[in-house]
Amino acid sequence: MARSKEALDKIDQVSPCRYGAPIVLIVCSDKDVACVLDDYSTYEMDACIVATHMMLEATNIGLDNIWIERFNKQELKKQFHLEDHIEPICLISIGYKAEDCPDNPFHHQRKDLKDTVKFI
């Protein structure tokens, strides 16, 4: 978790998407302990599941949050001294949305189910 000024400055160096949040969760996966089936490792999927639950719980307790995928992974690993087998998956910016923050115009647009799901 990044919440000190020093840590948040490092986050700002690797991503433009913190938007002033006072806390950023750095969600990583350990490639050495992930399940490997044939030539597929579940490290990324496992971390995504955990990150989703973290976001849902933050929302549940009234905190706004954003999944950040736009960041320099190699620079983040360097800034936070992450070992080679620790892979950053996403950042989750947590705080309260500014009152003057405009809504994303695409937030409520949805594709038809038939355009995203194939029933077999």
Side-chain angles (χ1 to χ4, degrees), residues 24-43:
V24 176
L25 303 178
I26 303 169
V27 181
C28 299
S29 191
D30 185 337
K31 291 180 174 183
D32 288 349
V33 298
C35 179
V36 177
L37 305 169
D38 297 321
D39 62 346
Y40 175 74
S41 174
T42 64
Y43 79 90

Side-chain angles (χ1 to χ4, degrees), residues 24-107:
V24 176
L25 303 178
I26 303 169
V27 181
C28 299
S29 191
D30 185 337
K31 291 180 174 183
D32 288 349
V33 298
C35 179
V36 177
L37 305 169
D38 297 321
D39 62 346
Y40 175 74
S41 174
T42 64
Y43 79 90
E44 189 172 28
M45 177 177 53
D46 295 340
C48 288
I49 291 167
V50 170
T52 300
H53 283 272
M54 294 165 85
M55 293 178 74
L56 290 169
E57 182 58 22
T59 300
N60 190 47
I61 63 173
L63 295 170
D64 295 307
N65 55 86
I66 299 171
W67 180 295
I68 302 171
E69 189 173 14
R70 184 178 171 203
F71 66 98
N72 183 322
K73 289 185 180 191
Q74 292 310 313
E75 186 62 25
L76 182 119
K77 288 179 83 160
K78 179 180 165 187
Q79 291 286 338
F80 288 94
H81 310 288
L82 301 179
E83 298 175 35
D84 288 340
H85 60 99
I86 303 297
E87 187 66 26
I89 303 300
C90 70
L91 306 174
I92 301 174
S93 190
I94 296 181
Y96 296 103
K97 183 172 94 172
E99 290 187 24
D100 62 346
C101 180
D103 287 333
N104 182 329
F106 303 108
H107 184 75

